[in-house]
Each structure stands twice: as structure tokens, then as C-alpha cells.
Amino acid sequence: MAKVLTFNRGRVPLLISMPHPGTQLTPAVEAGMVAAGLELADTDWHIPRLYEFAVELGASTLAAEYSRYVIDLNRPADDKPLYTTATTGLYPETLFDGAPLYREGLTPSANERARYLAEIWTPYHQTIVDELARMKAEFGYALLFDAHSIRSLIPHLFEGRLPDLNLGTNAGASCDPSLAEALVATCGEARDYSHVLNGRFKGGHITRHYGQPEQHIHAVQLELSQRCYMEEAPPYPYVEDRAQQLQAVLRNLLQAMLSWGQQRYGR
């Protein structure tokens, strides 16, 4: 197995998790996929690049190297469904548009998938566990920001055009309400972008599982509309001027999160 994640430890109690920018495929997955799947259209393209500035803020960052088509790090290990609407599971077998991901009879074996769980999913989640525990021990609390992006138009998953900034707090269960209010207010100041709290994207497994405000661990997901920083058609290029404008908003969101923690906990 090749390198499965990239982790950089920071100096403030904020971890930015990026579970879906990876493009690595295993031989079994690549051999069985349909041609459309090989375009990796459902990748959270360029997310580590978009959040490069977070190092200046002192945040820890964690990014996956393997594609979500191999195993989805934002799904629980038991693959229990998180949504009643259309979605994909721990081991995706369809593309976001509902089309099959694999040619008939060529999905990876159960043994292959068990290896992905042990060697890709588990190290990523253990890194989250360890880093949140370290932050809480040092600061008394921890902040988790789960960073995602998706094409703005996917009729199979949602109606119409997706808002630009989609905050998710598991319907208020994954963080203190006042933190969500601070982030919504920050989005509201970004006049060029639409936003919503707990709309179509309320937070996946990472937000739901690790967000435990009663234990002083506060988790928020942000699902970005990709049109805000890139072209949504192959080869999915990064658009620097759009990205720079969006990065100013993302910086404000992360700073608002850190300021909230300092005010709430005094450090």
C-alpha cells in the first residue's frame, strides 16, 4: 500500500480534516472501474491546495491520499447508512450521478475491501483520534473542521444549484450552538457567496462521530460548491483568482472558529 495520508501537526487547537481529495487507486479498483470512473469526477479536487494558508494560522491538517472510490473515509466502518436521500457507501459502487462505478462482476473482493479498511480507513481515523486527544490534553478543548467540496449541479443528489458554502453540524449536535452562529455570521459577511446551515449536507461520519460538544470537542463540516474555486469539468483545473477570493472567506471562517474557542475556553 502506498502512502495513505499526509498529516501536519500545528500549534493551535484546530484540526482540518480532508478525507476526499485523494486520487490514488488500488490495482483491484482501477482494473474494475468503468471509463467514467477513471476520471475521478467525484473527488474533492484541490482541497489541500485551497487550505494551504491554514498552516499560517497554526492549524493541524490531515489529508487522504487514496480516492474515495477505494474507501470512503467519511462513512462509518460498519457502513451503516447516514442518509435517507441518495448517497454512496463505505465502498462506493456508483458515481454521484447514480451510474455504476464498476463493470459487471469486477468489484473488489471482500478480502480486498477488508484490507482497505485496515490500511487506509483505520490510520486516517486513528490520526483524528490521536490529534483531538492531544489538543484536548494541551488546551482543554479541540476544534475539528471537516473540509469538502462537490460539483454545484448533481441532480441525482440534490435539486437545483447547491449553495456556495454549506455548513453542517449534524442538525446542531456536533458543536456548541454559539459556534455555529459565529460561522453563519461570518458566511453572511461574504456577500458574494450564498450559504446554508444544515441544508443538504449536515455532516458525514467524521462530523457526527467526533463532534462531542459535551466533551469539549466541536466539529463542523464545510461542503464547498466547486464552481467557487475551479472548473467543474475535466481536467478540473484550479482557478487562481476564484480560489484567492474564496480563501479570504475560508480564512475568516477558521479565524472565527479559533476566536470562538479562545473566548469560550480562555486559551
Side-chain angles (χ1 to χ4, degrees):
M1 192 72 69
K3 180 181 179 183
V4 300
L5 58 85
T6 297
F7 173 67
N8 293 291
R9 177 165 292 160
R11 62 180 187 275
V12 299
L14 171 62
L15 171 62
I16 300 173
S17 160
M18 297 172 271
H20 293 150
T23 56
Q24 292 254 39
L25 298 173
T26 63
V29 168
E30 187 171 11
M33 284 167 56
V34 298
L38 294 172
E39 294 182 355
L40 305 180
D42 302 331
T43 301
D44 291 14
W45 292 105
H46 312 298
I47 285 291
R49 181 177 179 181
L50 192 65
Y51 283 91
E52 277 180 341
F53 70 89
V55 174
E56 302 168 18
L57 301 180
S60 298
T61 59
L62 172 63
E65 297 293 337
Y66 273 87
S67 170
R68 68 187 303 156
Y69 292 161
V70 176
I71 187 168
D72 192 330
L73 302 178
N74 203 25
R75 299 292 182 266
D78 62 4
D79 204 14
K80 184 178 180 180
L82 297 178
Y83 305 95
T84 57
T85 51
T87 187
T88 54
L90 180 66
Y91 304 105
E93 295 192 7
T94 61
L95 299 166
F96 280 175
D97 64 7
L101 178 59
Y102 292 98
R103 287 173 283 142
E104 187 172 355
L106 293 180
T107 57
S109 68
N111 285 341
E112 276 284 319
R113 287 177 165 174
R115 187 166 68 94
Y116 305 160
L117 184 66
E119 298 182 17
I120 302 173
W121 190 99
T122 297
Y124 191 91
H125 283 268
Q126 190 61 54
T127 303
I128 295 178
V129 169
D130 292 345
E131 185 62 359
L132 293 178
R134 184 194 68 81
M135 289 175 172
K136 191 175 175 185
E138 181 174 349
F139 298 97
Y141 68 102
L143 305 171
L144 174 60
F145 188 93
D146 206 42
H148 297 259
S149 72
I150 193 169
R151 298 192 306 280
S152 58
L153 293 169
I154 306 180
H156 184 67
L157 296 185
F158 48 82
E159 295 182 2
R161 187 181 293 276
L162 191 71
D164 299 323
L165 309 171
N166 300 266
L167 292 166
T169 64
N170 190 23
S174 70
C175 75
D176 188 280
S178 62
L179 173 56
E181 290 169 7
L183 297 178
V184 169
T186 301
C187 288
E189 294 169 359
R191 304 293 186 183
D192 293 333
Y193 299 94
S194 57
H195 69 276
V196 66
L197 173 65
N198 292 316
R200 170 61 178 83
F201 295 95
K202 297 177 174 62
H205 173 68
I206 290 171
T207 304
R208 300 181 193 202
H209 182 72
Y210 296 106
Q212 301 174 36
E214 70 283 356
Q215 299 296 322
H216 310 295
I217 300 175
H218 304 270
V220 176
Q221 176 178 291
L222 179 63
E223 187 82 60
L224 293 170
S225 176
Q226 289 179 339
R227 71 191 184 104
C228 296
Y229 70 93
M230 58 173 276
E231 296 293 344
E232 297 185 334
Y236 308 108
Y238 190 82
V239 181
E240 190 65 47
D241 58 343
R242 290 188 214 167
Q244 287 182 0
Q245 183 179 355
L246 179 61
Q247 283 174 320
V249 178
L250 298 177
R251 181 183 292 269
N252 289 341
L253 281 169
L254 297 182
Q255 288 178 327
M257 202 167 183
L258 287 168
S259 295
W260 177 88
Q262 292 165 355
Q263 292 167 8
R264 174 67 179 270
Y265 293 98
R267 56 186 306 189

